[in-house]
């Protein structure tokens, strides 16, 4: 939608300029609220998984560092 309207509402010779009046008149299509909520729920789950993965990586790095120190001291 926007890509099709862009050439009609943009002006200027060096680069296209979008005027606020033209942008205000532009229609924005939104997905149904239920789809937006579903997307938000999935995004929240992914963020939680990302946080958990980051914490697991930090713990793994710590354990590896400890193991590496023991190896260099000849304790293994």
């Amino acid at each position: 939608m926007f890509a099709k309207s862009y050439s009609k509402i943009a002006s200027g010779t060096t680069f296209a300029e979008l005027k606020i009046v033209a942008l205000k008149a532009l229609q924005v299509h939104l997905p149904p609220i239920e789809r937006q909520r579903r997307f938000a729920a999935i995004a929240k789950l992914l963020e939680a998984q990302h946080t958990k993965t980051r914490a697991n990586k930090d713990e793994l790095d710590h354990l590896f560092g400890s193991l590496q120190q023991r190896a260099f001291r000849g304790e293994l």
Side-chain angles (χ1 to χ4, degrees):
M1 294 294 159
F2 178 75
K4 291 178 183 177
S5 303
Y6 180 76
S7 61
K8 293 177 185 173
I9 64 174
S11 63
T13 54
T14 306
F15 66 92
E17 175 185 40
L18 296 174
K19 298 199 184 321
I20 193 71
V21 174
L23 288 175
K24 285 182 178 180
L26 193 65
Q27 287 186 342
V28 178
H29 297 282
L30 297 173
I33 191 68
E34 194 51 45
R35 188 171 291 176
Q36 293 178 46
R37 287 185 180 132
R38 185 168 178 242
F39 177 86
I42 292 170
K44 187 175 182 179
L45 287 172
L46 286 173
E47 183 60 35
Q49 186 64 42
H50 185 257
T51 300
K52 191 175 184 180
T53 301
R54 192 177 317 128
N56 288 340
K57 183 191 176 303
D58 291 345
E59 178 67 16
L60 182 62
D61 288 344
H62 174 72
L63 291 173
F64 180 74
S66 297
L67 185 62
Q68 195 174 30
Q69 287 176 7
R70 289 179 63 198
F72 281 125
R73 286 190 299 239
E75 296 176 1
L76 297 178

